[in-house]
Amino acid sequence: MQRDIVQRPGNPADRADTRPTAHTSLPGNLLAPSAARRFVRAALEEWAGLGLPAAVGFSGRLAEDAEVVVSELVTNAVVHAGTTVELVVRLEEADDDEAAALSLEVSDHHPARAVRSDRPESGSAADAAEGTRAVGPDEPAEYGRGLQLVGTLAERWGITYRTGLKTVWARLPVDDWNPFPQAPADPVLPHGLREAELLAPSARRALRDDADWAGRGALSFLAEASDLLAGQLDEDIVAALSGQLLVPRLADWCAIWLEPENGGPSAVPRLASVWHRDETETGGLRALLEQGPIRLPERVGTGPVSMPWPGGEEPWPGGTEKTGKDEEGDGPAVSALAYRITSGGRTLGAVLLGREGLARVPDEVTALIEDFVRRVGLAVGAAREYTRQATISRILQRALLPGKVADIPGVASSLVYEPSDDGVVGGDFYDIFPCPGDRWCFVLGDVQGSGPEAAVVTGLARPWLRLLAREGFGVGEVLDRLNRLLLDDAMEAAEAAALMVAAAGGQQTADTGQSRFLSLLYGELVPLPGGGARCTLASAGHPLPLHLRPDGEVRPAAEPQMLLGIFDDVAYESQSFELAPGDSLLCVTDGVTERRSGTRMFDDGDGLALALAGCAGLSADGIADRIKRAVHEFAERPPDDDLALLVLQAG
C-alpha cells in the first residue's frame, strides 16, 4: 500500500534553510492527536494567509490528508512510546528535483530498536551514514498497521533513528503548485475563499469513499483497530481510541457509553467518550448526550439500529437541521446508527454515531462498523478482566506486605518497592519489625516466580520469620529453621500432587511440580549507646548487601550462601559488623542487580557499588531515590521484574 518510501540522501530535518516551519511539543497522552490536528490546521491556515507561493497549492484534500497522517503518527507515538512527542510541519517549495510538498515529522524519545530489513540494498550509503534506513514494503506491521494508511496518503515516508530519538516523517505533495500566481484584484477575497476551502464540510465529506472502505480499506482499518485496541488495559482508553478510529473515517461524530462493571437492570451507563469531526462542536455534543444514555431493546443483537437524535428538539451536531435535506436534496441531513457493545454474551455498552449528508449508510459500511464494534467489545472485556485481576492482586499484595514498617531508634530507613506488573502479585517482599532484647529485624526476600505460587510462599515465609525471630533464635538459626519449614511444606505439596496425579489416572496435572524456594536477606540491628548500631545479617542466595562509608568506600556486608528451600543439609552462617554514625547499608533484590539493557546487566562490573559510591553524603531517602533513578535510566524499556531496595543509615 506504500507508494514511495525511499528517503532522499540526508534527512530533511538536518537542512539549514529558511523553509516555513512550525514546531510544537505535545504530551504523551490521548489529547496529543487532537492537539496535533489543530496545530497542523492552524499552520496551513497561517501559511495560506501569508500568500506563500507553495501555499497556493493548498486544498481541502491536502488539509484532510495532513490531519489524518499526523493523527496516525502521533497516536502511534503516544501508544507505543508514551513519551513527549515533537511535531514539525515544514513547507517545501518546488525545485529542479522535487515538487512542492508538505513535510510532517513526529519524534518520540523511546526508540525501542532500529528498523530491520532482509533487503539491505533498499537503503543507500548515505542513509547508513545518517543513521537512517528506508522501510521495506512488508515492514509496516512492526510499527502498527496505521502506517499503511500513512503510506497510502503520503508520497513517501520513512523512519530516522538518532541517539534517544526516533522520527517518523511523511511527505505529502501540494496540489496544483504555482510559483507565480496571478495577483488577485481583491487580495482579501481570495484569502477568505482559501480558508473556506480548507475548512468546508462538503470537501471533507467528499474525501470519505465508502466504496474504498468497503473494499481494500476495510481490511487495513480492522487490522489497525485490532492492533491498537488489543494492547489496552483500561476501558476508558479503549473508548477514547475507538472514537479516534471512527471519526472522521467512518463517521462525522460518535459517542460511546459503557455499562457499570457490576450493574443490574437499573444501572445507568456512563458516557465514556465523545468525538466530533469539528472539535469545537465536541463540548456541545457531550452536553446534549449527557441528558440521558441511549437504550437499545433487549431483542436487538450486535447489528446497526437506526436511532432518533437523543437531543430532542436540539439541532444535530454542527448546526444541521434534523429534518432538512442535504445539499443535493437527496435525503435527511444526518443518519444516526447505534450498535450494542458485547463480549462473551454480556452487554458492555453502546456506540452511537452519525453521518451527515446521507439518507442511508451503505450496508458495506454498516457491516464494517459492526466488525469494528465487535473488536471494541473484546477490548473492553479484556480490560475489565485485567482490572479485576489487578484489583485482586493489589488486595492480596497489601495483605502479604506489612502495612507499616517499624521505625528503628537512631537508624533512618528508606524503602522502595515497585512490582513489575500491577495485575500479578509480585515475588518480592520486605519487613522491618521489633523483637525482644532491643533488637530490630529487617527482611528483604524474593520468591521464585510471581502470581499465586509466589503469594503462597510469601504468605508462609513472612509470618514464620517473625515468629522465629521473636522466639529469640539467632540470624543463622532463623534461616536454618525457615529452610526446613519450606522443605517440609514442599514435601507435603509434592505428596498432594502425587495424589492428584493418581486421581487423574496417572496424567500429570498443570498444578504439580511447583518448587518453593526463595532468596532472602535477613538481619538484626541493635542500637549502640554512643550512636550507630550493631548489625548481624545473612544472605541466602540473595544479592549481597553493600556497606557505604561517609568517605565513599563501598564493600560487601555478607557472604553468599545457598537459596532457601533447596537442600536440607545447609547450615547458614551470619556476619556481624558495626554500622557507625553516617554509615549506610543498601539491600536490594535481583530486580536491581539484573536490570538489563541489551546484553548488559546493571551490576556488571560492580555497577551497583559504583552507583552507591556516588551517593556518599546523601540521606537514606536520597540514596534510595538516586539508586532507583539509576536503575530506571539504565535501559529505555521499563523494568520487567519486581524492584525492591532498602536503605538503612545510622544517625
Side-chain angles (χ1 to χ4, degrees):
M1 297 178 63
Q2 301 167 21
R3 298 174 183 172
D4 178 11
I5 51 176
V6 178
Q7 185 175 7
R8 290 176 291 174
N11 183 39
D14 296 332
R15 297 181 182 177
D17 56 25
T18 58
R19 291 173 295 173
T21 302
H23 172 270
T24 187
S25 295
L26 303 170
N29 57 39
L30 290 175
L31 299 177
S34 61
R37 293 194 296 271
R38 290 194 299 270
F39 181 80
V40 169
R41 189 184 310 131
L44 296 181
E45 291 177 14
E46 179 182 357
W47 292 335
L50 292 174
L52 299 176
V56 176
F58 286 175
S59 67
R61 181 176 183 86
L62 175 65
E64 180 73 16
D65 286 355
E67 289 184 40
V68 171
V69 168
V70 78
S71 183
E72 293 292 344
L73 297 183
V74 172
T75 298
N76 277 350
V78 169
V79 172
H80 299 295
T83 69
T84 301
V85 177
E86 308 296 330
L87 170 61
V88 177
V89 185
R90 183 175 291 107
L91 183 58
E92 302 180 9
E93 297 189 358
D95 55 29
D96 294 337
D97 299 323
E98 296 284 357
L102 182 70
S103 174
L104 304 171
E105 300 173 11
V106 175
S107 303
D108 65 70
H109 301 273
H110 195 285
R113 58 193 176 102
V115 181
R116 303 190 183 277
S117 173
D118 294 329
R119 298 176 305 283
E121 67 274 13
S122 61
S124 66
D127 293 334
E130 289 290 332
T132 305
R133 203 189 59 71
V135 186
D138 57 349
E139 295 182 29
E142 188 171 344
Y143 289 92
R145 294 178 177 88
L147 291 185
Q148 294 181 359
L149 182 59
V150 174
T152 300
L153 297 177
E155 179 184 58
R156 63 171 65 111
W157 68 274
I159 303 174
T160 301
Y161 286 88
R162 292 179 180 80
T163 303
L165 196 71
K166 177 172 82 264
T167 300
V168 184
W169 56 268
R171 189 175 189 274
L172 280 68
V174 173
D175 303 329
D176 303 325
W177 184 80
N178 180 8
F180 301 106
Q182 294 182 353
D186 184 356
V188 177
L189 181 60
H191 182 188
L193 291 175
R194 183 66 62 190
E195 289 181 339
E197 183 184 10
L198 279 170
L199 302 176
S202 59
R204 293 174 182 271
R205 287 199 300 269
L207 292 178
R208 184 184 291 129
D209 188 345
D210 288 335
D212 181 68
W213 281 117
R216 62 185 178 86
L219 295 178
S220 176
F221 174 74
L222 292 175
E224 178 192 6
S226 300
D227 187 45
L228 281 176
L229 298 177
Q232 305 308 320
L233 301 177
D234 185 298
E235 62 181 60
D236 288 323
I237 295 181
V238 171
L241 286 175
S242 300
Q244 292 187 56
L245 288 165
L246 282 172
V247 178
R249 303 180 206 183
L250 296 174
D252 292 304
W253 54 266
C254 79
I256 298 175
W257 283 267
L258 293 178
E259 299 281 350
E261 176 78 23
N262 299 314
S266 61
V268 178
R270 65 181 179 88
L271 187 58
S273 178
V274 177
W275 286 90
H276 195 286
R277 182 193 63 193
D278 183 353
E279 293 166 2
T280 62
E281 299 287 344
T282 301
L285 175 60
R286 177 178 287 275
L288 289 175
L289 294 174
E290 285 176 344
Q291 297 176 10
I294 60 173
R295 298 285 186 179
L296 296 178
E298 290 297 329
R299 65 180 183 276
V300 173
T302 59
V305 180
S306 296
M307 295 292 293
W309 171 235
E313 296 303 318
E314 297 288 342
W316 286 89
T320 307
E321 295 295 334
K322 300 187 292 296
T323 58
K325 302 292 183 179
D326 63 6
E327 295 175 358
E328 291 75 22
D330 293 334
V334 178
S335 295
L337 298 175
Y339 292 81
R340 188 188 302 276
I341 302 174
T342 63
S343 179
R346 296 182 57 194
T347 298
L348 303 182
V351 176
L352 176 67
L353 55 90
R355 292 281 298 267
E356 298 180 13
L358 287 178
R360 179 176 176 273
V361 180
D363 292 340
E364 296 83 357
V365 177
T366 60
L368 173 60
I369 298 174
E370 182 178 352
D371 284 342
F372 171 76
V373 174
R374 187 176 297 112
R375 285 160 172 78
V376 174
L378 293 174
V380 172
R384 290 190 170 184
E385 182 64 31
Y386 177 84
T387 300
R388 286 191 291 269
Q389 178 64 43
T391 301
I392 294 172
S393 295
R394 283 193 294 270
I395 294 172
L396 184 56
Q397 195 84 64
R398 285 198 296 267
L400 294 175
L401 298 175
K404 183 180 183 301
V405 296
D407 294 326
I408 305 174
V411 177
S413 63
S414 183
L415 179 70
V416 173
Y417 177 72
E418 296 179 352
S420 62
D421 190 340
D422 191 41
V424 178
V425 181
D428 291 3
F429 66 96
Y430 58 86
D431 203 356
I432 301 177
F433 56 92
C435 286
D438 197 27
R439 297 177 297 132
W440 273 261
C441 301
F442 60 93
V443 179
L444 199 60
D446 185 2
V447 180
Q448 174 212 17
S450 60
E453 294 83 7
V456 169
V457 180
T458 302
L460 295 173
R462 198 170 70 85
W464 283 343
L465 272 168
R466 284 198 169 209
L467 178 62
L468 293 170
R470 287 171 175 167
E471 288 295 319
F473 292 105
V475 172
E477 294 176 303
V478 168
L479 295 188
D480 287 340
R481 284 164 170 75
L482 180 60
N483 183 52
R484 286 197 290 271
L485 286 168
L486 287 172
L487 288 169
D488 290 344
D489 187 73
M491 182 63 69
E492 294 176 1
E495 293 174 353
L499 294 176
M500 292 174 61
V501 171
Q507 298 295 321
Q508 186 78 5
T509 63
D511 201 28
T512 61
Q514 289 291 339
S515 300
R516 296 187 174 184
F517 58 84
L518 73 152
S519 69
L520 189 74
L521 178 66
Y522 170 66
E524 293 180 354
L525 286 175
V526 178
L528 299 176
R534 184 70 177 171
C535 181
T536 303
L537 50 75
S539 175
H542 203 80
L544 298 181
L546 298 178
H547 184 184
L548 171 66
R549 297 188 181 276
D551 60 1
E553 179 188 355
V554 177
R555 62 180 179 84
E559 296 293 332
Q561 300 181 78
M562 181 62 62
L563 284 164
L564 296 170
I566 303 294
F567 301 110
D568 60 359
D569 57 350
V570 180
Y572 291 93
E573 299 180 354
S574 61
Q575 291 80 41
S576 297
F577 60 95
E578 183 175 333
L579 202 63
D583 287 3
S584 301
L585 185 69
L586 173 64
C587 312
V588 302
T589 59
D590 61 7
V592 173
T593 56
E594 297 180 7
R595 166 83 156 126
R596 288 190 172 273
S597 176
T599 59
R600 297 185 304 119
M601 292 194 296
F602 183 75
D603 200 33
D604 286 349
D606 293 327
L608 180 59
L610 293 174
L612 181 60
C615 298
L618 297 179
S619 64
D621 288 336
I623 294 173
D625 182 67
R626 180 171 293 186
I627 297 298
K628 181 185 74 172
R629 284 192 287 110
V631 173
H632 278 276
E633 294 170 359
F634 181 70
E636 295 172 350
R637 298 181 63 85
D640 56 3
D641 193 6
D642 301 336
L643 188 153
L645 62 90
L646 172 66
V647 178
L648 301 171
Q649 188 175 75

